[in-house]
Amino acid sequence: MSILISNDDGVHAKGLAVLAESLSRIAEVHVVAPDRNRSGASNSLTLDRPLEPQHLSNGFISINGTPTDCVHLGISGLFETAPEMVVAGINHGANLGDDVLYSGTVAAAMEGRYLRRPAIAVSLAGSLHFESAAEIALQLIQQVSQLNLAPRTVLNINVPDLPVEQIKGTHITRLGHRNLADQPVSSVDPRGKERFWIAGAGEPEDAGPGTDFYAVADGYVSITPLQADMTQYSGFDNLGAWLEGLE
């Protein structure tokens, strides 16, 4: 199997190195990742300048762009043959609920949705036990050929920050939801210009049983199937009735 690995924490992140080492036991691994931390980049592409691949001494390729840029190049331009699947991570911190809208890790996996096998985003709900997340990813990918999913499905995997022997198991989950984030933090730079820091994510609001928040908090690996189609099909009837009323 040929696997393309990327992330949003940057090409020098520990989680990336641990994941690449783990998956290299079962596959031919190519690593293409941003040259710096691009957390929160979501699905953005760089369209206003060329991208510059840099081949590092450890075999990784660094790109001066976004996670989506990295996977876009990795599956269509950097190698003679396209990889069979994309695995993104291991992210430093969870990507739960509404986080998937902003996550560069999830975006990197989403860019790999066209390939033969399901794309996977792997996140650790902390910053200690990357080996646990790598072991979970390895176990799942070894069995991925037996998985029958709709085309262009992405698996969003979140792993509790625990030693692997303390993880209770795996739950299939839906995305939970967060409250609105805190207000941006205002500051004034030395030249007197007002600046703003984006505040941290809001606290979980919809985090009950069945959600990814609940599973991870209870010590289980959360696996949520995602799709790029954001159409709200349940809204068709109400929207149609509203439009008829306007006529």
Side-chain angles (χ1 to χ4, degrees):
M1 191 190 312
S2 174
I3 297 177
L4 176 67
I5 297 177
S6 192
N7 73 347
D8 71 356
D9 291 313
V11 72
H12 301 294
K14 179 180 179 180
L16 183 73
V18 172
L19 181 63
E21 191 281 328
S22 178
L23 298 189
S24 65
R25 303 178 210 164
I26 61 167
E28 177 186 5
V29 167
H30 300 285
V31 178
V32 184
D35 60 356
R36 55 192 171 90
N37 191 316
R38 296 303 302 265
S39 296
S42 188
N43 298 86
S44 58
L45 283 169
T46 300
L47 303 177
D48 59 349
R49 56 177 173 79
L51 300 170
E52 303 171 10
Q54 300 289 330
H55 294 257
L56 306 184
S57 59
N58 62 357
F60 294 4
I61 298 177
S62 171
I63 302 288
N64 59 333
T66 67
T68 301
D69 290 331
C70 294
V71 176
H72 188 78
L73 289 179
I75 66 176
S76 62
L78 288 178
F79 308 108
E80 292 184 2
T81 57
E84 294 179 59
M85 70 182 303
V86 169
V87 182
I90 300 166
N91 193 65
H92 294 223
N95 278 304
L96 301 166
D98 306 278
D99 300 343
V100 302
L101 296 173
Y102 308 101
S103 167
T105 301
V106 175
M110 192 66 72
E111 189 66 12
R113 66 190 181 276
Y114 305 99
L115 301 181
R116 290 175 51 193
R117 302 183 188 277
I120 294 177
V122 185
S123 302
L124 178 68
S127 58
L128 294 177
H129 298 284
F130 288 102
E131 290 75 13
S132 296
E135 181 62 27
I136 296 296
L138 179 65
Q139 292 175 11
L140 294 173
I141 292 168
Q142 284 179 308
Q143 305 298 323
V144 75
S145 62
Q146 302 174 29
L147 181 60
N148 183 19
L149 290 173
R152 303 186 182 185
T153 298
V154 173
L155 300 181
N156 186 40
I157 299 174
N158 284 275
V159 180
D161 194 10
L162 298 169
V164 70
E165 64 272 11
Q166 294 182 22
I167 294 175
K168 297 178 181 178
T170 303
H171 282 175
I172 300 170
T173 59
R174 65 173 178 86
L175 296 177
H177 295 285
R178 293 186 182 274
N179 284 308
L180 184 66
D182 293 336
Q183 293 293 316
V185 178
S186 174
S187 62
V188 178
D189 71 14
R191 294 178 175 81
K193 186 173 180 63
E194 186 177 25
R195 308 284 188 178
F196 288 92
W197 288 96
I198 297 295
E203 292 298 314
E205 178 185 32
D206 175 13
T211 67
D212 47 3
F213 287 105
Y214 189 90
V216 171
D218 201 30
Y220 289 87
V221 175
S222 164
I223 303 181
T224 306
L226 305 177
Q227 61 184 8
D229 182 359
M230 299 175 69
T231 306
Q232 187 189 60
Y233 295 97
S234 63
F236 276 27
D237 290 343
N238 287 339
L239 183 59
W242 176 70
L243 290 173
E244 289 177 3
L246 292 180
E247 296 172 359

